[in-house]
Amino acid sequence: MAGLALDGSNPDVSLLYDINGLAKDAPHWFDRVMEFVGEYGIIIGFALVTLAAWWNVRKRPREAPSAVAGLVWAPLAAGLALVANIPIRGFVERPRPFKDHQGLDVLVAGKTDFSFVSDHATLTMAVAVGVFMAHRAYGSIAIALALLEGFCRVYMGVHYPTDVIGGFALGTAVTLLLAPLAMMLLTPLTTTIAGSRVGWLVRAEPVAADQGADEAFPELPESRSAGGDRGNKGLAA
């Protein structure tokens, strides 16, 4: 399997050269910016987006426990996806593109592990899909950041485009396929926390006494007023 994408006429390789070629024409300072963004910057951005989504979903009286559970699931799914990538990398054994192709502008040195699939692409898309489940608006921002991360990895010369696509697919699959089980386990936990002394972690305001036991597994309201935030509802909300 190590011979994937070695042929220079392969579209995967052609796209690699096209995207990485942008780094050769860019100013040195811009390459340094892309290096930071691709390695650390977008990860920091994900942390901020997730925190913003958490702060927002806490304000939903009924949907808060399930929405917060979705946000908790996002990094857990990313971790599981990275673990799942370990045997995939060992089976495919694709070298980094700069080891098999000349003339690439490699912005990050010292990459000695296998290339397929991209850990960064896997992690960012897994988190992005998890955030989207809880809050569509912030989730859309997270997905855009994940796509930017994938572009950066190819721009930096450390991954083939298909490494990134494979990472996106793996992160999405793990998050969505395991979401029903994860939500079944996490929602009762966040519901319990909501009624405890640290309930502010889940709900911005205490639950009204007459809301009853159905709060343990909140359902989507059938309708909202014209000024509501239906467009921001996530799959877990």
Side-chain angles (χ1 to χ4, degrees):
M1 299 296 290
L4 283 174
L6 295 184
D7 185 359
S9 63
N10 190 308
D12 196 22
V13 177
S14 299
L15 188 56
L16 165 68
Y17 275 108
D18 289 341
I19 296 177
N20 181 255
L22 299 174
K24 294 183 177 181
D25 300 329
H28 178 75
W29 65 266
F30 185 79
D31 284 349
R32 299 287 72 82
V33 170
M34 290 293 286
E35 176 186 345
F36 175 79
V37 170
E39 284 287 286
Y40 311 107
I42 291 180
I43 304 299
I44 296 173
F46 265 93
L48 296 176
V49 169
T50 303
L51 283 174
W54 164 75
W55 187 262
N56 187 282
V57 299
R58 289 167 59 249
K59 301 175 183 178
R60 304 174 183 172
R62 290 181 58 84
E63 296 87 3
S66 57
V68 172
L71 293 177
V72 172
W73 168 234
L76 294 178
L80 290 176
L82 291 178
V83 171
N85 190 27
I86 295 175
I88 295 175
R89 282 194 167 194
F91 175 72
V92 177
E93 294 185 339
R94 176 191 281 181
R96 295 281 181 169
F98 54 80
K99 292 186 176 182
D100 292 317
H101 302 286
Q102 302 297 319
L104 293 175
D105 190 3
V106 182
L107 303 186
V108 180
K111 299 290 184 181
T112 59
D113 54 344
F114 293 123
S115 185
F116 185 89
V117 295
S118 166
D119 275 341
H120 280 75
T122 300
L123 183 150
T124 53
M125 189 56 76
V127 173
V129 172
V131 174
F132 187 84
M133 290 173 59
H135 195 288
R136 291 179 183 174
Y138 286 110
S140 298
I141 296 174
I143 290 174
L145 288 176
L147 295 175
L148 177 59
E149 175 69 18
F151 177 84
C152 288
R153 303 309 289 177
V154 181
Y155 180 96
M156 294 159 59
V158 296
H159 279 293
Y160 294 99
T162 48
D163 296 338
V164 170
I165 295 172
F168 288 162
L170 177 60
T172 300
V174 170
T175 303
L176 293 182
L177 291 178
L178 298 181
L181 175 61
M183 296 301 294
M184 182 177 68
L185 297 175
L186 292 173
T187 301
L189 175 62
T190 55
T191 301
T192 300
I193 294 175
S196 70
R197 293 183 178 180
V198 291
W200 59 269
L201 289 171
V202 176
R203 282 193 175 99
E205 299 178 359
V207 185
D210 60 351
Q211 283 185 295
D214 62 331
E215 284 294 300
F217 297 95
E219 299 177 357
L220 283 173
E222 294 182 0
S223 62
R224 287 188 170 270
S225 62
D229 62 344
R230 176 178 292 272
N232 288 340
K233 294 301 178 185
L235 301 182

